[in-house]
Amino acid sequence: MWKETLKVLGKQNSRVDSGGEEKSYREFYLQADIMQSKFAMVLFAIPLIGFIFNDYMFFGLSTMFYGVISVRIALLIVTALVLSFIGRVKCYNAYDKILFFAVLAMIIGGGVINATRPSNFIIASIISIVSVFVLYLIVPLKFKFQVFLASFLTVGESLIVLILSKNIGDSVLFTLLFSMFVANLVAAFGAWQTHSYRRKNYSEFMQRKALQNELEKHANQLSELVEERTKDLVQAQSRLMQFERLATIGEMAGMVGHDLRNPLAAIKNASYYLRKKQGSSLGDNGTDMLNAIDRSVEHANSIVADLLDFSREIHLDLEEYSPKSLVNYVLLAINIPGNVKITQKIESEPTVWVDANKIERVFTNLVKNAIEAMPAGGTIEISSRRNGENVDFAFADTGSGMSEDVIGKIFTPLFTTKAEGMGFGLAICKRIVESHGGKIGVQSTLNKGTTFTISLPIEQQNKKETSSN
């Protein structure tokens, strides 16, 4: 992970070095440079104001004095405009232009003022040297702009000293010019060091930021992975508990089913014996009681059959059938009430490989449930369609519908909303469908109806026989 992160940082740095470094670097320091440039302009403004008295001592209240004062006022106006507008810039290009031309105006104005006092060349040279250091070390500009302005200032002052200074020795002149040249080199080297340090600091900051972003990204990914794994573990634990519960229910169902089958057979045989031997002497009430016993035994037998079916492995005897033939057989075997209308949208193709007895039992269960959900009558629509490598069967009714809570438990063993029944019907249907490699789902709206959807694969991996626990 760390190697990949370092590679990402290396790529980012190479992209910055190849074209975007200057822009990113300058914009990173823009606000700090604006504040520093304001301080530099104030430093330039101090001698402009401070030497007004010196001008008076040189020129008195002469035309030259007023001319020099006009230059100083113009430079102070430039300083005020820079201080006013430079804080509003949003990009470094505008900042560089404003500050470059402002400093250039300062240098030219300062040169004009110095040219008016050739006898005071030593003070002018000292001021020039100080200005060079201020320009390089305090005025935050591009290094090439700093070099140009400082060189312009040094050359200009040197020309003023050479041209206008008459009563000066060669050694003094050489010392002054050499001092300005050396000051320029020293200040330029210091500025270059400052720019290098700033760039290094910026590069390290961006690397730390990129590394921090990568760490946050990996932390978020790790957090998501932990959350996903925790969710998987919770679901796996829930499935394990459900499997254990279903296994317990299946074991209990098998035991109860076997234990009840013999007593039920004895009751049914006793009812049959009474009907044959004593039928003529029982009367209508006795006959009704025997009929009630027979119906109860049949109901109990159906419950026992469900219990035993739920506890056994499901073995499939697969054969090829068309969807239409499966549905038609179910509708022929069920007594449809007169107030229930059946509409079919069943396709004959494609055929599917299924255990017909078991799938027809599923379909029968769904149709009977739909009829029971419409005591006042309604419509049951049965449809089929191909869906990729599957055939989808839909059983839609216009009955009372189910709540979200009931939908979530509808396939759970022992859950039922009926007054009679054990709640194994849909659970067994689900097992049968899944043993075919299919899926069963339900959508329902209260007071509008319910739709059960069964998706069965067209082909089975083993067409002879399969089993499911």
Side-chain angles (χ1 to χ4, degrees):
M1 181 181 74
W2 298 108
K3 292 181 179 179
E4 294 177 355
T5 301
L6 292 176
K7 288 181 181 179
V8 171
L9 293 179
K11 292 180 180 179
Q12 291 176 346
N13 290 336
S14 65
R15 287 196 295 268
V16 171
D17 293 339
S18 63
E21 179 181 11
E22 184 67 21
K23 179 180 179 181
S24 301
Y25 160 69
R26 293 301 307 284
E27 289 182 352
F28 178 77
Y29 282 107
L30 181 59
Q31 293 304 317
D33 288 349
I34 289 174
M35 295 301 297
Q36 189 171 335
S37 65
K38 289 181 178 180
F39 175 69
M41 295 307 296
V42 171
L43 290 181
F44 280 126
I46 290 175
L48 290 175
I49 300 173
F51 281 94
I52 292 177
F53 181 73
N54 184 262
D55 293 336
Y56 174 75
M57 292 179 63
F58 265 92
F59 306 114
L61 296 175
S62 63
T63 304
M64 183 64 71
F65 172 75
Y66 290 115
V68 172
I69 292 299
S70 298
V71 174
R72 292 186 183 278
I73 292 174
L75 294 179
L76 288 173
I77 292 174
V78 170
T79 302
L81 290 174
V82 171
L83 292 174
S84 175
F85 287 101
I86 199 167
R88 305 178 187 178
V89 299
K90 301 298 182 182
C91 66
Y92 71 94
N93 286 326
Y95 164 83
D96 284 341
K97 291 177 181 179
I98 292 174
L99 199 58
F100 176 82
F101 288 110
V103 174
L104 184 62
M106 290 286 184
I107 293 172
I108 295 173
V112 171
I113 293 173
N114 290 339
T116 62
R117 295 179 298 179
S119 59
N120 203 18
F121 61 89
I122 295 178
I123 296 177
S125 298
I126 294 173
I127 293 175
S128 298
I129 292 173
V130 173
S131 298
V132 166
F133 275 95
V134 171
L135 180 58
Y136 269 119
L137 301 179
I138 298 180
V139 178
L141 269 173
K142 282 184 178 180
F143 184 68
K144 63 180 181 180
F145 290 161
Q146 289 177 320
V147 171
F148 174 82
L149 292 172
S151 301
F152 183 78
L153 186 153
T154 303
V155 171
E157 287 296 332
S158 299
L159 290 174
I160 291 173
V161 173
L162 287 172
I163 295 173
L164 300 180
S165 298
K166 299 177 181 179
N167 300 322
I168 182 173
D170 292 340
S171 60
V172 176
L173 182 62
F174 175 78
T175 301
L176 292 174
L177 295 178
F178 182 75
S179 298
M180 287 192 289
F181 176 75
V182 171
N184 201 309
L185 288 180
V186 171
F189 179 75
W192 179 78
Q193 289 283 75
T194 301
H195 279 289
S196 298
Y197 172 77
R198 279 161 51 111
R199 288 181 185 275
K200 181 180 178 182
N201 187 49
Y202 166 74
S203 178
E204 291 176 350
F205 173 81
M206 294 304 295
Q207 288 182 2
R208 288 195 301 270
K209 185 177 180 181
L211 183 58
Q212 182 179 0
N213 291 337
E214 286 295 317
L215 288 175
E216 291 179 355
K217 178 181 177 181
H218 288 299
N220 292 334
Q221 290 177 346
L222 182 60
S223 177
E224 292 175 358
L225 184 61
V226 170
E227 184 178 353
E228 182 179 351
R229 291 294 182 268
T230 303
K231 184 178 179 181
D232 291 342
L233 287 174
V234 171
Q235 291 177 349
Q237 184 180 13
S238 177
R239 288 195 297 268
L240 179 60
M241 293 176 63
Q242 185 178 7
F243 290 153
E244 291 177 349
R245 179 171 176 267
L246 291 178
T248 302
I249 292 174
E251 184 178 354
M252 179 195 70
M255 294 172 58
V256 172
H258 285 294
D259 289 343
L260 289 178
R261 176 152 288 181
N262 290 334
L264 289 175
I267 294 172
K268 186 172 183 179
N269 290 335
S271 174
Y272 177 79
Y273 177 81
L274 290 174
R275 192 185 300 275
K276 287 294 184 182
K277 297 296 183 179
Q278 305 293 331
S280 59
S281 61
L282 291 176
D284 294 338
N285 289 334
T287 301
D288 291 340
M289 293 298 292
L290 289 177
N291 291 335
I293 291 173
D294 289 341
R295 287 195 300 271
S296 298
V297 169
E298 290 298 326
H299 179 67
N301 269 327
S302 67
I303 294 175
V304 170
D306 286 342
L307 289 172
L308 293 176
D309 287 340
F310 186 79
S311 65
R312 294 170 181 160
E313 292 185 0
I314 297 179
H315 295 274
L316 302 180
D317 185 12
L318 300 175
E319 294 183 24
E320 189 174 16
Y321 290 89
S322 69
K324 198 172 189 65
S325 64
L326 292 172
V327 173
N328 286 340
Y329 179 84
V330 169
L331 295 180
L332 289 174
I334 297 176
N335 182 23
I336 307 297
N339 58 356
V340 174
K341 180 182 178 182
I342 303 291
T343 60
Q344 295 188 51
K345 296 180 180 179
I346 306 297
E347 299 177 357
S348 298
E349 298 290 337
T351 57
V352 290
W353 285 81
V354 295
D355 186 321
N357 290 330
K358 292 181 173 58
I359 290 299
E360 287 167 357
R361 177 177 178 180
V362 173
F363 289 176
T364 300
N365 191 298
L366 295 181
V367 173
K368 286 183 175 181
N369 285 347
I371 294 173
E372 292 174 0
M374 301 183 297
T379 301
I380 301 175
E381 181 181 289
I382 306 174
S383 60
S384 71
R385 67 181 182 88
R386 179 165 187 160
N387 183 12
E389 298 300 318
N390 299 308
V391 174
D392 291 347
F393 294 85
F395 295 79
D397 64 59
T398 58
S400 56
M402 296 180 289
S403 65
E404 292 292 333
D405 183 59
V406 172
I407 292 175
K409 302 176 182 178
I410 197 70
F411 296 110
T412 303
L414 301 179
F415 176 80
T416 182
T417 59
K418 302 177 183 178
E420 297 181 353
M422 293 289 290
F424 282 104
L426 289 175
I428 294 173
C429 290
K430 186 173 186 293
R431 287 190 62 205
I432 292 174
V433 172
E434 291 178 349
S435 69
H436 283 78
K439 296 180 180 179
I440 182 170
V442 60
Q443 292 180 332
S444 185
T445 303
L446 281 174
N447 302 319
K448 290 187 177 180
T450 301
T451 300
F452 280 88
T453 303
I454 296 173
S455 181
L456 296 175
I458 296 173
E459 295 288 340
Q460 295 287 344
Q461 293 181 353
N462 185 350
K463 294 181 180 179
K464 291 182 179 181
E465 182 177 344
T466 62
S467 66
S468 174
N469 292 328

